[in-house]
Amino acid sequence: MDRKRHSFIRIILSILLCLLLAVQVSAGKTDYSRYPNSKYEWYIVRKSGHEKAGGGIPAGVDLSKYKVFFQNIETDEKVIYLSFDCGYENGYTKKILKTLKKHNAKAIFFLTKPFIESNPSLVKKMKKQGHLAGNHTSTHPSLPGRSVQEIKKEIKDCEEAFKKVTGCELDPFIRPPMGEFSERTLKVTKDMGYSTVLWSMAYYDYDVNNQPGKDYVVKHFKDNYHKGALPLIHNTSSSNCEALDDVLTYLEKKKYRFGTLDEFALEKGTLKIECHNKIYDGRAAEVKIIKNTNKNADIKYIFKNSKGKIVDKATEPGTYTVTAVAGSTRKYCITTSNEVKFSIKAEFRI
């Protein structure tokens, strides 16, 4: 009887041990089945008087917790964030890049894997000109119709293609194909380090065989621009290509500038510096970084003399101020440090 009881106890303990191990293995993993997979299709609600647009936010869904943006809702500045969806090349992207360069306008290009692999020179040019490059998935599927594993593969395959062509990482922004999403897909993309980017301006431009025409595009921008706007523009559209120069010229006359998403859709990092007083010895003052959360970002130092003029470095005797700027990373936007005042005293001689 004791033997049977001991055997039973061993079986129970084994079961408990297995359950404990299962819990440990699954610890830290997200159960995506807990997130609803009802498909939503993004749409915008235009407003008169160039007010910020409304959007098709699903009832009961807090998009902000999934890092979803469709315009810069906080800004009161005259700024527009140009975005281009690049599913494939139709012969217009080179001219679009040329026009953007003419106006010193930066944009974000959402790229698919086929576009990246078929147009490496264009993709490299985007990076060279300082544009952002976002993820538009590998095969442009409706993400709510895919499993979690398939969604991750869509995103990773696009990342790997971009890294292979440019040697760089994609910027941490994704535009879901067709603007279709669910809470589950938003959670997956957020966990992969992405902000989801929708739009506050759009028009029927994606059918290459039924284009709206240059005049329509120009008029649409004139009628619907607003502060913090995020227009959706397809690179395959002949009308967009023909209208872009006039659109940018018009917006410039309205005193708008062209910003990039990292201004508001990435977290603010921390950058602290110090620079001590020194005696003149012919060598430039050295700045010490106290804290920098923008890891792997380039650091640029800005020195100003006592007259407020920017100088390359602080070498000669005098009073200076210095700030530092860290470039964007996948988590943080461009960050400026505290300002430090210091002096270089002339060497005292008897």
Side-chain angles (χ1 to χ4, degrees), residues 93-95 97-98 101 109 119-131 165-166:
T93 307
K94 185 176 181 179
K95 185 176 179 181
L97 286 169
K98 185 176 181 180
K101 186 176 181 180
F109 291 85
N119 305 279
S121 60
L122 288 176
V123 173
K124 290 177 183 177
K125 184 171 287 188
M126 291 171 186
K127 292 298 295 181
K128 186 177 181 179
Q129 291 184 194
H131 301 293
V165 166
T166 66

Side-chain angles (χ1 to χ4, degrees), residues 289-332:
I289 297 175
I290 304 302
K291 186 175 182 180
N292 178 27
T293 58
N294 300 59
K295 293 180 179 178
N296 303 319
D298 293 332
I299 305 294
K300 178 182 179 182
Y301 297 104
I302 302 172
F303 292 93
K304 293 183 180 180
N305 61 22
S306 59
K307 296 180 180 180
K309 183 179 179 180
I310 295 177
V311 295
D312 290 336
K313 53 188 176 180
T315 305
E316 301 298 324
T319 301
Y320 299 87
T321 58
V322 60
T323 55
V325 178
S328 297
T329 66
R330 283 189 64 86
K331 185 175 182 181
Y332 297 111

